[in-house]
């Protein structure tokens, strides 16, 4: 007899099982695949190896989900910084995605022919950082009860008021505000968003956009660790 039965050894299943085991619960983790990892796993067919989904970790800073999980489980993964981590080719133009934010914002203004790119990306990264800070101090997101809503009214949350704009406004409004009309830039953003948020810019709130693009930059870290 076990205390908890977990179906699936993906990110969520592995995390839940590890946390339960740490807290002395008897836990059984079941997985039908020959490898653990869920969407981060892979399979082979003849001479080829195929990914089955997302194969990157994101949110590894101390105030982000994986960073908090690693700390809770006393895991110290070996991180290797990859910069540049991605080269996109659109309409014959090569766009080098630098992980360094300052280097990227400067490069973006050149790639997409607009000095306003710098201000645009600075705002995106600012909201992304603020959002993760907010989430690290508020565990009841999204709120599911009256108590959860009351907790969100605590005075310390006033500093995150600017996030409300991003929740109720689409990112397309911000793109128009900065007059970013370059077609290659539009294609670049759409491709990044489809990977991280499964949405197009016109369907995406500014809040989700910032987190989605932020994720794509955080994924320029390659993590090696033994399970």
């Amino acid at each position: 007899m076990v205390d908890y039965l977990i179906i699936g050894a993906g990110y969520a299943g592995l995390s839940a099982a590890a946390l339960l085991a740490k807290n002395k619960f008897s836990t059984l983790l079941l997985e039908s695949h020959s490898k653990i990892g869920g969407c981060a796993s892979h399979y082979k067919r003849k001479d080829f190896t195929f990914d089955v989904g997302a194969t990157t970790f994101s949110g590894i800073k101390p105030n982000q989900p994986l960073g908090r999980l690693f700390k809770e489980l006393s895991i110290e993964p070996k991180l290797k910084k990859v910069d540049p981590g991605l080269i996109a080719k659109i309409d014959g133009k090569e766009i080098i995605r630098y992980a360094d934010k300052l280097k990227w914002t400067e490069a973006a203004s050149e790639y997409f022919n607009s000095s306003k790119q710098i201000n645009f990306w600075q705002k995106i990264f600012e909201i992304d950082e603020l959002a993760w800070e907010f989430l690290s101090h508020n565990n009841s997101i999204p709120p599911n009860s009256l108590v959860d809503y009351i907790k969100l009214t605590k005075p310390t949350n006033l500093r995150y008021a600017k996030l409300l704009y991003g929740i109720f406004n689409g990112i397309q409004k911000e793109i128009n505000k900065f007059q970013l009309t370059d077609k290659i830039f539009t294609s670049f953003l759409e491709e990044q968003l489809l990977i991280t948020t499964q949405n197009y810019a016109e369907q995406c709130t500014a809040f989700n956009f910032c987190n989605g693009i932020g994720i794509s930059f955080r994924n320029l870290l390659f993590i090696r660790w033994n399970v």
Side-chain angles (χ1 to χ4, degrees):
M1 182 68 68
V2 297
D3 297 316
Y4 290 92
L5 173 64
I6 298 175
I7 309 298
Y11 282 167
L14 290 169
S15 299
L19 290 170
L20 287 167
K22 181 187 176 183
N23 286 280
K24 311 302 182 184
F25 290 103
S26 176
T27 307
L28 177 62
L29 176 63
L30 301 179
E31 172 58 55
S32 63
H33 198 282
S34 60
K35 297 181 181 295
I36 64 173
C39 287
S41 188
H42 62 276
Y43 65 92
K44 291 185 177 182
R45 290 292 185 272
K46 296 183 178 180
D47 297 328
F48 300 96
T49 300
F50 300 90
D51 293 331
V52 297
T55 54
T56 55
F57 281 131
S58 61
I60 61 174
K61 291 184 178 180
N63 66 334
Q64 295 173 349
L66 278 176
R68 296 168 68 184
L69 179 65
F70 290 152
K71 181 179 179 180
E72 182 70 20
L73 297 175
S74 300
I75 295 174
E76 296 183 4
K78 295 179 180 179
L79 306 179
K80 181 179 180 181
K81 186 70 173 287
V82 178
D83 195 3
L86 173 68
I87 298 177
K89 295 187 177 182
I90 304 175
D91 293 340
K93 192 170 186 175
E94 187 174 89
I95 301 172
I96 301 175
R97 274 284 308 279
Y98 297 104
D100 182 88
K101 294 178 181 179
L102 178 59
K103 194 171 183 179
W104 165 250
T105 55
E106 293 174 345
S109 65
E110 179 180 345
Y111 292 145
F112 307 122
N113 305 312
S114 174
S115 60
K116 294 181 180 180
Q117 284 280 337
I118 294 177
N119 293 332
F120 173 77
W121 287 102
Q122 286 177 341
K123 184 169 185 178
I124 295 306
F125 293 139
E126 177 189 3
I127 294 177
D128 177 53
E129 291 292 336
L130 191 64
W132 281 114
E133 183 181 326
F134 170 76
L135 292 172
S136 70
H137 294 298
N138 294 273
N139 295 321
S140 300
I141 301 295
N144 294 309
S145 66
L146 179 59
V147 173
D148 290 344
Y149 281 101
I150 293 174
K151 288 180 179 179
L152 291 176
T153 63
K154 59 186 178 182
T156 53
N157 276 343
L158 290 175
R159 62 174 305 200
Y160 306 114
K162 65 172 61 177
L163 292 176
L164 292 173
Y165 174 85
I167 293 173
F168 295 106
N169 288 276
I171 190 57
Q172 192 62 53
K173 184 176 181 179
E174 283 298 306
I175 294 172
N176 296 338
K177 175 183 175 181
F178 285 94
Q179 300 176 338
L180 303 177
T181 58
D182 186 277
K183 291 183 178 180
I184 294 179
F185 173 66
T186 301
S187 296
F188 174 78
L189 284 187
E190 299 290 17
E191 291 182 4
Q192 299 297 301
L193 286 174
L194 284 173
I195 294 172
T196 58
T197 68
Q198 289 78 57
N199 277 312
Y200 293 102
E202 63 180 16
Q203 303 167 323
C204 196
T205 66
F207 182 89
N208 286 339
F209 175 88
C210 293
N211 281 159
I213 291 296
I215 285 173
S216 68
F217 272 82
R218 289 188 293 275
N219 282 351
L220 298 185
L221 285 170
F222 176 70
I223 299 180
R224 291 178 177 173
W225 60 312
N226 295 320
V227 179

